[in-house]
Amino acid sequence: MSKERIANVNKNIVYEAGKDAFKKLNPKVMARNPVMFVVEVGFFITLILSIYPGVFGESANREYNIAVTIILFATIIFANFAEALAEGRGKAQANSLKKTKQDTKAKLIQKDGSIKIVDSFQLRKGDIVLVEANDLIPTDGEIIEGVAAIDESAITGESASVIKESGGDFSSVTGGTKVISDFIKIKVSADPGESFLDRMIHLVEGAKRQKTPNEIALGTLLVSLTIIFLLVCTTLVPIASYVDVTLPTATMVALLVCLIPTTIGGLLSAIGIAGMDRVTQFNVIAKSGKSVEAAGDINTIILDKTGTITHGNRMASDLIPASGISQEELTQCAVYASLYDDTPEGRSVVEFARKIGVPENALNKAGSVGIEFSAETRMSGTDFSDGKRLRKGAVDTIMKYIEHQGGRVPAGLKDACDEVAKKGGTPLVVTEGNRILGTIHLKDTVKPGMKERFEELRKMGIKSIMCTGDNPLTAATIAKEAGVDDFIAEAKPEDKISVIKREQAEGKLVAMTGDGTNDAPALAQADVGLAMNTGTNAAKEAANMVDLDSDPTKIIEVVSIGKQLLMTRGALTTFSIANDVAKYFAIIPAMFMLAIPQMKALNIMGLATPQSAILSALLFNAIIIPLLIPLAMKGVKYVPMSASRLLKRNLALYGVGGVFVPFIGIKVIDLLLVVLKVV
């Protein structure tokens, strides 16, 4: 999914959010947010007073009641707009995913081997389909035969194709992607409406979005504060009556609305929704808000090696000449033998040659015929018009080939191949005619930038552990090259689960990234399981997040977003509660200072009149919600630091700031009301 299709906010999203904000005025919908429901009840009370000023037996002041009603209505609309805007962005992301779904035709393989063209929605789980070059893959499935380059840009936004083949961890394909070359046979793994893309669209649209434990706890706190202030405001009426002070109903409603945590109450839902949407912007689909939130508290991350830390495809890393053969001759012949080899290994030989300085003119195919790699021959090569024949392939295959050609195996070749194998690599032997020229060392290479990314994790206080089935020597080499904190060699699926359980037993939250079927149990056990989209369906089903780009380092962004989510919620809660201090000094003196002159001492802001003080506080209470929407949507910037330092920083910024900003804002609004002669 390209970032161009996931714009944070555009005119259409804002327009739709504006319409939804009014639709959410339905009391049944508002009741899900108790804080804002209280505001809506207050709005209806003041609306009645605006139409029938003396209905509650108090002196009529229609203009004042209308002003309070309008401000309360704006407060509700602003809060609804924040939630609708966050939901609208999720809907836009879902629509971009829907664009990849097409009513495609499928080549269904019948039991007698014949091909029948059917619509993709007619396919059922277990069906076998043939997909050839330039065909769209009709639905999700597992490759059971063939190797093909697949364009997944419709989902990931990445233009580079990926190689997928039957068996292993790169056999899963997604409906809507396109085969670029060769052909594959796919066993359908999902019935109509149950594909990976269908489920992801359903999740992004938020149909099953549930509140997280942290959000539920905060919601309980807000409800408790609302009940407390409701009791306080209720008891103020008889107390005021005792001292012969009449408190207008509209003023009591304004006081209640200003004292309850309306700011965080109006933004709480938007913060949670925006957290899930932010991971979607990084091409990660979160199956629940709980997983995003848990990512913010991760202590340990477990990573599978193959396809996660490393490319998964074996790539040329060294060329080892046989006795009596020069490095230049081996390099040249290895390149020529790979010119027509379109496998990842073959392409890596050519790429390796480029890196070590082989000129482009040496890659000329003129006057040559390619011998493509096949599973049967297990070798590939190039025949030239001058009779020169170059081959490369598996050790045992080349040995038989040389014997058939009447050649001999040079001394030291077996030792060189054994050394490559000991390091966890794969040796390929290069020949020219009946001569063996040397060995190509293929190894699963570490993805670029991994060391720097693991350093970022360390700064966050997160320990990284690599799990691999390789021998200890190979595992140590990869671990050092990647920069992980620890590794477990010769790991079986149950070993990965044991590591996760051990860390969890110590009170740590654990994240796991992986792509294979053997990773599925560990992904399910982890607090945060991030599966690669290139991986198997089993891995994607077990995880609670799926990375469409198949970049294991994406967990760093996920962790940052999780921390952002927690920090944003905490920061805005602190700001909202701190706001109440300033609003207290604005409204309480205004309510009593006419009847009790001594209360003027508390009017430290020097607000003009009781009515202007109340309206100023109420206006600020409404205006601050839309002003904080960008922060709720984007999240508080996360900078790696200790928890105590982070707490002090947020208290200083959002606690102290939450006290002083309302003082300034309320005073400015009061001056404007006086200048405009509103009061």
Side-chain angles (χ1 to χ4, degrees):
M1 197 188 317
S2 64
K3 286 185 177 149
E4 288 77 7
R5 286 185 283 145
I6 315 175
N8 286 343
V9 176
N10 58 42
K11 291 181 180 179
N12 186 54
I13 293 176
V14 172
Y15 174 72
E16 291 298 325
K19 290 197 301 183
D20 288 344
F22 285 90
K23 293 178 182 177
K24 289 177 179 288
L25 290 173
N26 185 334
K28 290 182 179 179
V29 176
M30 294 297 295
R32 295 200 299 259
N33 187 338
V35 176
M36 297 313 300
F37 181 68
V38 169
V39 178
E40 186 173 46
V41 172
F43 159 73
F44 282 119
I45 292 173
T46 57
L47 179 62
I48 293 171
L49 288 171
S50 299
I51 300 171
Y52 307 105
V55 69
F56 294 133
E58 57 188 48
S59 58
N61 192 341
R62 176 170 287 173
E63 292 78 10
Y64 173 66
N65 292 341
I66 290 174
V68 172
T69 302
I70 292 172
I71 297 171
L72 290 179
F73 182 73
T75 303
I76 300 166
I77 290 297
F78 289 153
N80 287 349
F81 178 75
E83 182 177 14
L85 192 63
E87 290 175 344
R89 192 169 62 175
K91 290 175 184 176
Q93 291 160 350
N95 289 335
S96 71
L97 284 172
K98 286 178 181 177
K99 289 178 183 178
T100 67
K101 288 179 62 64
Q102 302 182 38
D103 291 329
T104 58
K105 297 292 183 182
K107 299 172 181 175
L108 178 63
I109 300 176
Q110 304 292 301
K111 291 183 178 180
D112 61 3
S114 62
I115 302 294
K116 181 182 179 182
I117 306 299
V118 299
D119 291 316
S120 59
F121 61 80
Q122 293 180 275
L123 296 174
R124 294 294 182 270
K125 191 173 182 179
D127 286 344
I128 307 296
V129 295
L130 172 68
V131 188
E132 299 175 297
N134 298 318
D135 288 348
L136 285 172
I137 294 174
T139 187
D140 292 1
E142 297 279 346
I143 300 174
I144 59 173
E145 183 181 329
V147 179
I150 297 176
D151 176 9
E152 296 189 329
S153 59
I155 292 177
T156 66
E158 296 294 331
S159 58
S161 60
V162 295
I163 304 297
K164 293 202 172 184
E165 58 187 333
S166 59
D169 295 339
F170 294 91
S171 60
S172 172
V173 291
T174 305
T177 56
K178 186 177 183 180
V179 171
I180 301 300
S181 65
D182 302 301
F183 77 92
I184 50 177
K185 289 183 180 178
I186 300 170
K187 185 175 183 179
V188 177
S189 61
D191 288 325
E194 298 178 359
S195 69
F196 170 73
L197 208 54
D198 289 316
R199 294 195 304 275
M200 294 305 101
I201 291 169
H202 191 57
L203 289 165
V204 172
E205 286 179 326
K208 290 186 177 180
R209 183 178 284 120
Q210 297 178 347
K211 290 184 178 180
T212 65
N214 183 283
E215 192 174 353
I216 292 172
L218 182 55
T220 303
L221 172 64
L222 299 185
V223 170
S224 300
L225 289 174
T226 301
I227 293 172
I228 290 170
F229 284 121
L230 185 61
L231 293 173
V232 169
C233 292
T234 303
T235 55
L236 270 179
V237 175
I239 293 173
S241 177
Y242 182 76
V243 294
D244 296 324
V245 175
T246 301
L247 297 176
T249 303
T251 297
M252 293 304 301
V253 170
L255 173 64
L256 175 62
V257 169
C258 284
L259 292 184
I260 63 177
T262 50
T263 305
I264 186 62
L267 296 173
L268 182 60
S269 181
I271 293 169
I273 296 169
M276 287 187 69
D277 289 342
R278 277 199 296 277
V279 297
T280 309
Q281 292 174 48
F282 283 96
N283 270 5
V284 174
I285 302 296
K287 297 182 181 180
S288 71
K290 183 179 179 180
S291 59
V292 180
E293 189 174 284
D297 289 325
I298 288 299
N299 307 107
T300 305
I301 176 171
I302 312 292
L303 302 106
D304 181 46
K305 178 187 77 76
T306 305
T308 304
I309 292 177
T310 62
H311 283 285
N313 292 322
R314 299 167 301 170
M315 303 178 73
S317 64
D318 195 12
L319 297 173
I320 307 165
S323 176
I325 305 298
S326 67
Q327 186 74 51
E328 291 74 18
E329 183 180 8
L330 172 61
T331 301
Q332 184 184 56
C333 291
V335 170
Y336 282 146
S338 305
L339 288 179
Y340 293 91
D341 185 359
D342 200 35
T343 64
E345 292 85 353
R347 291 196 302 271
S348 76
V349 174
V350 177
E351 188 60 34
F352 178 75
R354 284 196 178 103
K355 286 181 181 178
I356 62 176
V358 173
E360 287 294 323
N361 58 17
L363 306 179
N364 188 2
K365 295 182 179 180
S368 64
V369 177
I371 308 299
E372 295 184 3
F373 174 85
S374 71
E376 290 77 21
T377 63
R378 296 179 64 205
M379 65 180 180
S380 61
T382 307
D383 288 345
F384 289 87
S385 56
D386 61 2
K388 190 175 185 178
R389 300 187 310 278
L390 297 171
R391 298 287 186 272
K392 76 172 193 312
V395 179
D396 56 343
T397 301
I398 292 296
M399 295 295 188
K400 293 177 183 177
Y401 174 77
I402 287 295
E403 288 176 7
H404 183 70
Q405 297 292 323
R408 65 181 183 83
V409 177
L413 180 71
K414 188 177 185 303
D415 291 339
C417 292
D418 288 345
E419 186 63 27
V420 169
K422 284 180 183 178
K423 293 179 180 178
T426 301
L428 291 183
V429 178
V430 180
T431 71
E432 188 274 312
N434 63 0
R435 292 190 307 144
I436 290 181
L437 305 179
T439 306
I440 300 173
H441 180 178
L442 297 178
K443 76 169 185 175
D444 197 0
T445 56
V446 173
K447 293 182 178 180
M450 292 298 294
K451 199 159 193 172
E452 293 76 13
R453 304 289 269 176
F454 285 124
E455 182 59 35
E456 288 183 50
L457 285 174
R458 270 188 288 277
K459 289 180 181 178
M460 293 180 181
I462 299 172
K463 177 183 178 183
S464 57
I465 302 175
M466 180 186 79
C467 286
T468 175
D470 290 335
N471 62 64
L473 179 61
T474 302
T477 302
I478 295 293
K480 183 178 180 181
E481 189 176 343
V484 296
D485 296 318
D486 198 2
F487 69 89
I488 298 173
E490 299 176 341
K492 298 182 288 292
E494 51 267 30
D495 294 330
K496 297 176 183 179
I497 297 178
S498 297
V499 174
I500 294 172
K501 288 183 176 179
R502 185 186 69 206
E503 294 288 319
Q504 290 173 331
E506 295 175 4
K508 298 177 181 178
L509 289 182
V510 182
M512 166 79 186
T513 66
D515 58 1
T517 300
N518 63 333
D519 296 324
L523 287 168
Q525 176 66 37
D527 299 285
V528 177
L530 178 65
M532 305 296 104
N533 189 42
T534 53
T536 62
N537 284 329
K540 289 186 281 189
E541 290 289 344
N544 48 29
M545 291 187 186
V546 179
D547 177 19
L548 299 180
D549 293 333
S550 299
D551 176 7
T553 63
K554 195 76 68 65
I555 192 67
I556 296 175
E557 277 80 12
V558 173
V559 169
S560 295
I561 291 169
K563 290 184 182 296
Q564 269 191 325
L565 175 62
L566 295 174
M567 287 175 57
T568 302
R569 196 177 285 154
L572 291 182
T573 301
T574 303
F575 185 87
S576 178
I577 295 174
N579 270 348
D580 293 341
V581 176
K583 287 180 280 188
Y584 171 86
F585 280 102
I587 294 183
I588 296 298
M591 292 172 63
F592 293 98
M593 64 186 181
L594 291 180
I596 308 174
Q598 292 86 348
M599 291 290 287
K600 289 183 179 179
L602 292 177
N603 186 19
I604 58 178
M605 285 186 276
L607 302 178
T609 66
Q611 287 187 341
S612 74
I614 292 167
L615 292 178
S616 297
L618 201 58
L619 264 173
F620 176 84
N621 191 64
I623 292 171
I624 198 65
I625 293 176
L627 292 179
L628 289 175
I629 288 177
L631 181 62
M633 299 284 283
K634 186 178 180 182
V636 174
K637 184 178 180 181
Y638 171 69
V639 180
M641 62 178 69
S642 66
S644 58
R645 186 181 168 197
L646 191 61
L647 178 61
K648 291 176 183 177
R649 175 177 174 271
N650 284 345
L651 284 176
L653 186 60
Y654 298 101
V656 177
V659 172
F660 284 102
V661 169
F663 273 101
I664 298 169
I666 291 171
K667 181 60 180 177
V668 170
I669 295 171
D670 177 71
L671 292 173
L672 287 174
L673 292 177
V674 173
V675 170
L676 297 174
K677 298 181 180 180
V678 175
V679 292

